[in-house]
Amino acid sequence: MQRKRLEQTAPIQPTHKKEYTVTAQTAGDVLLLDVFKDGSWHGRQAIHTQTGEYAQYSPQDKKWYFRMFGNLLGLDMVVTGWYYTQDAKSRTNIDTADMKKLIREELGNLTKIPIHYDIFDGITYVERQYSAAKRERIEDNRVMKVQDKMRLVPAVPEKARDWIWEMEGAEQYIFRDDKKRWHCSACKKIYSESRLRREDDNKTARHNDRVTCPECGAAATAKTRTDRMKKKTHFYLAQRIDDRMSVWRSFDAHLTWGPTGRKTVLNEGFRIIIYSLSIGPKYAGEIFYNQFPTSGGVWHGKMDSEKAYFDNKKNPANRRSGEGFMYPEGIGEAFTGTAYEHTANLASEIARSNLRLDYNRMISIQKGRLTGIMEYLYKGRFWKMLEETVNHIWLPTGDYYGDLHITGTTQEEIFGLSDRQMINRLREENGGQRMLSWLRYSERKKIKIDQETLCWLEKNKVDESDLHFLGGLMTPRQVMNYVIRQQAEGYKGKSAKGVLTQWNDYLSMLVRLGKKFKNDEMMYRPRELKRRHDECVEEINAQAIRNQMARNAAQRRQESKKMNQRFPGAEKVLREIRDKYAYADDQYLITVPRRLIDIITEGQALHHCAGATDRYFDRIMQRETYICFLRKKDDPDTPYYTIEVEPDGTIRQHRGYLDEEPGIEQIKPFLRKWQKEIRKRMTEEDKAHAAASAVKRQQNIEELREKNNTRVLRGLMEDFMPAQPDPDDIPEEEPVAAGA
């Protein structure tokens, strides 16, 4: 549209004065819609009647904008979903009937909808269609430019496929088929089962035996349970495109050995187009991601990355860089004249050594001291330190955030060690940053860390910070010996760091319990860490329980009165059975609560359901079951277990803190002795109550079955302890207990 010409066309003044009034006219192929707000010219919408192109003119600042017509009517077209509200339509008026007809006729070809449709909806339709087409054209042009650039990328060198096999595929396999014939992946020859013999005893080869192919002499591994072996590896490739740009490519190589030989599928993750500094780009490189997700190394029907689709707008398959090899040819040529030129020699040299590194991070470093540091690590054969140095480069900026002092000018300054013998130890043991940290610790504390300890710390990923909780009470050697012993005794199968965590917890609990241990080796280094740790847990739980029981004494008295009113006679039952059910031995004791509120307090302290529902108190009133407390004899005031027992001693439930059951297997012999004692003390009335209790128990079980409450049934079955170990008294199926 010729906007200057359109500006010169004067607006038609409205005959009506509504909040918003619209007048319409044409200027060639352009429909002009002038909006007047409270009688003043507010703005103009120009719509080309052939293409749908639109623009908005503001007479206030004399500028054109790419805005929808609704903005002139006070609408935010994004917020309103690009549709006009009824309120906007009600306060807007098309000035004359002729103008309404003009708008319908001019937009009729563009809307492709009946002319009687709402005028405002028709305008919106035209504008949305044009905007969508414009976005599509822009996106098509962008994609075309990207694909034109991608077509310039050279093919993967054929030698690269053979090279990656040299790096990762030196192993050979010989597969046996269902006809008992052998297939060699090296020479692709086929021969009978009897020809392939084991190397050690000359017998027929079995699965995973080391063998030698009788045809080509290749050393191989026999495979009788599979006909394929697969391996995935990663590598990088740098190529020159032309004098303006190069490309840096990241590949996953899927290697497959089979009866007919070897196969390679390359899965390219991303490409970075590196621009020459001579053309002065806004950035050194531009990254393009492969847009197809992978499945088993195959591209959605495309077998190789040469046919993949790349784009720089998004990364749907979450492509990332990682450790791998680097194809050694073409690096210098690709990086010359680019922002990566200062890494070319280093990258070429390391690539020829077949080292696995995250080369994508390595080439991203800023020009400066770090390049020389990595070259020193490479030439000094600090392989692990080189790998970790590369892994501590921040990709977005190329900055280093590891432990080396990269501003140092000597070996000692770089490693932060004054003793060169320690630097040699780091090289000899191929240590990384963790070992370097321990060597610095050794020098700082003026203690010797022997080689066995140093390697153990490295292998188990134990850092200096992991031992801070000891406060220097033990040397690393002593820590190692102690942890190994605990792994062999109390913590079998647990990692070294897992044992250290338990040790840390144990010492923290000693502090909470107010115990001083720094001068007592038997406390901070107990012979049985697990047992002492568990004892501390139990003691802290007991302390928390006592604190809970001591709170809100006045509230407990008030609640106790309410309980007696709600369950009259229940406390009388408890008084009657107290002596009959009381029992003790040299470790444990059973006591009967004096008041109903004691049951509630016990349940709250142990955080289980006993006392939380009325059914337990109803059962006491009906003499169906009773509640008893099991305590440790040396700590009779601290809740330990709550027992629900039937009149004949049958135990329905036993619950400890948080419904857990600490030491229950050691407690059960005591409970059985208690049950025998109850049987001796039973009266005829007790036996009658016990028989009725058993019937009600079975009814409750049936109700749980009907509700399919398997979780409660399973828990009750685990707790159930009949008073008589008589098969006739034990149910054939689920637990003979009810409640929760």
Side-chain angles (χ1 to χ4, degrees), residues 560-576:
S560 181
K561 292 180 181 178
K562 294 180 180 178
M563 294 293 295
N564 284 328
Q565 293 172 357
R566 292 176 60 197
F567 304 101
E571 289 191 354
K572 181 182 177 183
V573 172
L574 293 177
R575 286 195 298 271
E576 291 175 358

Side-chain angles (χ1 to χ4, degrees), residues 169-418:
E171 181 61 85
Q172 296 293 345
Y173 299 94
I174 302 178
F175 302 93
R176 189 178 68 183
D177 62 20
D178 54 2
K179 296 181 180 179
K180 295 189 176 182
R181 297 176 303 177
W182 293 105
H183 301 254
C184 178
S185 65
C187 63
K188 306 178 186 178
K189 296 292 181 63
I190 305 174
Y191 41 87
S192 64
E193 183 181 35
S194 60
R195 293 189 59 194
L196 192 65
R197 319 300 291 179
R198 296 209 303 254
E199 293 178 349
D200 52 354
D201 57 9
N202 202 35
K203 291 184 179 180
T204 302
R206 299 167 302 186
H207 187 67
N208 282 339
D209 279 341
R210 292 296 299 169
V211 294
T212 301
C213 176
E215 292 288 341
C216 65
T221 300
K223 293 291 180 181
T224 62
R225 301 173 188 171
T226 181
D227 63 351
R228 292 287 186 277
M229 290 299 294
K230 296 181 179 181
K231 186 174 186 179
K232 177 184 173 182
T233 188
H234 191 80
F235 74 92
Y236 294 94
L237 171 65
Q239 294 172 294
R240 191 72 177 182
I241 295 177
D242 53 33
D243 59 353
R244 299 173 298 115
M245 64 184 84
S246 299
V247 63
W248 172 254
R249 307 171 71 178
S250 170
F251 291 90
D252 285 332
H254 298 265
L255 311 180
T256 304
W257 292 259
T260 58
R262 304 183 307 188
K263 181 180 178 182
T264 311
V265 174
L266 298 183
N267 182 334
E268 189 170 359
F270 61 83
R271 296 171 175 175
I272 300 177
I273 299 298
I274 305 172
Y275 297 104
S276 172
L277 295 176
S278 61
I279 64 175
K282 296 180 181 178
Y283 31 70
E286 188 176 10
I287 188 166
F288 297 84
Y289 298 102
N290 192 328
Q291 299 299 298
F292 292 119
T294 59
S295 176
V298 179
W299 296 84
H300 273 255
K302 302 191 183 296
M303 294 300 293
D304 214 327
S305 57
E306 301 291 333
K307 301 176 182 178
Y309 172 71
F310 288 83
D311 201 354
N312 61 344
K313 285 191 70 174
K314 53 189 175 179
N315 183 14
N318 196 29
R319 308 291 183 182
R320 291 289 183 267
S321 64
E323 290 188 0
F325 297 103
M326 185 171 178
Y327 188 63
E329 296 183 16
I331 299 171
E333 180 186 5
F335 287 176
T336 299
T338 71
Y340 301 98
E341 185 171 9
H342 63 284
T343 64
N345 291 335
L346 177 64
S348 297
E349 194 168 356
I350 295 178
R352 286 194 293 271
S353 298
N354 302 331
L355 290 181
R356 288 184 62 92
L357 294 174
D358 189 339
Y359 288 94
N360 194 57
R361 290 182 183 273
M362 191 191 76
I363 68 166
S364 71
I365 60 175
Q366 299 292 325
K367 188 174 184 179
R369 181 71 181 143
L370 188 54
T371 308
I373 295 293
M374 287 199 293
E375 186 174 358
Y376 163 70
L377 294 175
Y378 167 69
K379 292 182 177 179
R381 304 186 305 283
F382 295 95
W383 309 125
K384 188 168 185 178
M385 185 60 71
L386 174 63
E387 175 188 341
E388 293 186 1
T389 299
V390 170
N391 290 339
H392 283 82
I393 294 170
W394 178 240
L395 262 176
T397 63
D399 293 324
Y400 173 70
Y401 60 93
D403 289 344
L404 292 179
H405 304 151
I406 63 173
T407 57
T409 57
T410 65
Q411 283 184 338
E412 292 80 2
E413 290 176 353
I414 293 170
F415 288 110
L417 294 169
S418 60

Side-chain angles (χ1 to χ4, degrees), residues 55-73:
Q56 193 172 109
Y57 178 69
S58 171
Q60 290 79 25
D61 52 16
K62 295 181 171 48
K63 290 183 179 179
W64 288 88
Y65 298 96
F66 185 67
R67 294 173 180 166
M68 297 185 74
F69 180 57
N71 290 100
L72 288 175
L73 306 181

Side-chain angles (χ1 to χ4, degrees), residues 13-14 16-21 35-42:
Q13 295 299 314
H16 297 84
K17 286 191 177 180
K18 210 168 185 182
E19 183 177 355
Y20 290 101
T21 303
V35 177
F36 291 83
K37 184 178 181 182
D38 298 325
S40 299
W41 189 30
H42 184 53

